[in-house]
Amino acid sequence: MQIAVIGTGYVGLVTGVCLSEVGHQVTCIDIDINKIKLLKNGQSPIYEPGLQELIQKNTTADRLHFTNDFQEGLSGAKAIYIAVGTPAKRDGTANLEALEQVGIEIAKRISDYTVIITKSTVPIGTNDRLRSLVAEHKQKSASFDVVSNPEFLREGSAIFDTFKGDRIIIGADSDKAAEIVEEINRPFEIPIYRTTIRSAEMIKYASNAFLATKISFINEISNLCEKLNADIEEVAYGMGMDKRIGGQFLKAGIGYGGSCFPKDTNALVQIAGNIEHEFELLKSVIEVNNEQQGLLVKKARIRFGTLKGLRVAVLGLAFKPNTDDIREAASLVVINQLIKEGAHVVAYDPVAINNAKKVLPDQVEYTDSFEGAIQEADCAMILTEWEEVTNQPISSYVTLMKQPIVFDGRNCYHLDEVEQFPVEYHSIGRRSIILNTSEILC
């Protein structure tokens, strides 16, 4: 089928590329001229394992095309995916300006029957608004339907999730439109569940809110474990053995980040507030996460008394491994707090440094190696569990740091392993390994 995808951000680009991989003719449209130039040259503007290879493969096969021109991109398309950003406003509500503008652009250009498919995460009722907007601006002879088809991709494993996902949600008020979208997605061989449009919109928000809730819950339990001398990893494993609970998203750490969970939890609180429903549970989830992101700085402050003048190695800037996305990452909170308290920050990340430089204070020093970050550091903070960090021998902290003191925000190392080395080690929800001064300096 001939398909257009509007927006070549994370969701749009992965969607378009994977649709071309299963045989569809796909044109991706974006107003960013430089981004389209990169894509036409086979270069991905975002870091996602396997994505660039698929771009090159399907461009060469003439199934995948890129353009800045709406007329060119929409010409002949039977299905149009909208995958533009819906960033949060200051009050937490979703900014729908880009989506509405795209709706008008589509309306001006469709002539035959077209299915408009919303991939962007949008508040409940947005697709109804989009339908009205397109109807208002379209040619009289044109007909269309709107379908909500939310994405459930994890950054860092988006290609895998596209081909091996748990479900595909198709929210439609038209059987004809639902069948077309089902036909588009049939090659993925993933279970398809049809709902109303509003239910599909809610499924996306509810799913992300529930996962965020699991994360904040286990982080609160981890804080209790530290005070009660229990081990969060044993607790989480024991909980996860219960099939009603499951082990996923029960890994304690310094909170969630990225482009989805923070934005979607805040948006759902606002959506509830708009209909005079106080979503107290989700408000607490957000509050817990905000506190958790600063936990390592709090631990370091207790350990050292003052952070002023300390050389602190920050290991990992992206909000999770295998992505260069630093949106709402814990690193932003941690580094800004460290700088404010007078520490000298040396930061390392395998792929996210360029994005970090755009938003972090100028005082931050960057290095392209793990060794360069911890060299002569007073302490190290692990914020992202990159393999480039977790695969390093613990002995490196001993030989390279001024003091081998590690604050591990992702519980990357087993305590038994750490105890084999003269390292002071503080993690999340587990006992700290404390050495006396003579042991640290020897």
Side-chain angles (χ1 to χ4, degrees), residues 72-288:
E72 176 190 348
L74 297 179
S75 179
K78 301 302 180 185
I80 302 171
Y81 283 80
I82 299 178
V84 296
T86 54
K89 298 179 181 178
R90 285 183 176 272
D91 64 359
T93 59
N95 186 333
L96 302 176
E97 291 179 6
L99 182 137
E100 291 176 351
Q101 184 58 48
V102 163
I104 294 172
E105 294 292 339
I106 293 171
K108 292 176 181 177
R109 292 171 173 82
I110 59 173
S111 53
D112 300 326
Y113 177 75
T114 307
V115 181
I116 301 170
I117 306 162
T118 307
K119 271 288 182 188
S120 304
T121 301
V122 295
I124 291 78
T126 300
N127 281 284
D128 292 337
R129 164 65 179 152
L130 178 64
R131 182 192 292 118
S132 298
L133 197 63
V134 174
E136 179 185 345
H137 290 87
K138 75 177 182 66
Q139 302 173 37
K140 289 184 178 180
S141 60
S143 61
F144 72 98
D145 279 308
V146 173
V147 172
S148 175
N149 177 219
E151 54 82 21
F152 301 98
L153 306 178
R154 298 168 297 171
E155 293 191 45
S157 57
I159 304 298
F160 176 87
D161 290 344
T162 301
F163 289 96
K164 302 292 182 182
D166 297 319
R167 79 290 203 201
I168 293 171
I169 303 296
I170 298 175
D173 297 332
S174 158
D175 287 339
K176 178 181 178 180
E179 287 165 8
I180 289 172
V181 179
E182 187 166 341
E183 180 65 26
I184 291 171
N185 286 280
R186 191 165 286 120
F188 294 114
E189 299 182 342
I190 294 172
I192 292 173
Y193 180 50
R194 289 193 194 182
T195 72
T196 64
I197 287 179
R198 290 197 171 211
S199 291
E201 292 171 332
M202 180 60 88
I203 286 168
K204 170 64 176 178
Y205 277 110
S207 297
N208 280 354
F210 183 76
L211 295 176
T213 300
K214 286 189 76 172
I215 293 170
S216 282
F217 178 83
I218 202 64
N219 282 335
E220 278 286 73
I221 295 297
S222 76
N223 294 332
L224 283 176
C225 284
E226 288 188 20
K227 296 177 180 179
L228 297 171
N229 198 29
D231 187 299
I232 189 57
E233 296 199 336
E234 294 177 346
V235 172
Y237 187 84
M239 289 172 59
M241 293 175 72
D242 188 328
K243 293 178 181 178
R244 297 170 300 172
I245 298 172
Q248 290 189 316
F249 289 83
L250 287 183
K251 183 172 176 55
I254 48 173
Y256 58 77
S259 63
C260 291
F261 286 4
K263 177 173 70 73
D264 293 352
T265 50
N266 280 294
L268 190 52
V269 167
Q270 289 298 320
I271 290 167
N274 291 340
I275 54 171
E276 299 182 352
H277 178 83
E278 293 298 321
F279 207 147
E280 298 294 350
L281 173 61
L282 200 51
K283 288 180 180 178
S284 296
V285 167
I286 295 167
E287 183 180 349
V288 167

Side-chain angles (χ1 to χ4, degrees), residues 5-13 28-31 35 81-85:
V5 178
I6 302 177
T8 58
Y10 183 81
V11 172
L13 186 55
C28 295
I29 307 165
D30 201 292
I31 60 173
K35 187 184 289 187
Y81 283 80
I82 299 178
V84 296

Side-chain angles (χ1 to χ4, degrees), residues 94 131 187-188 332 338 435:
R131 182 192 292 118
F188 294 114
L332 306 183
L338 289 172
L435 305 176

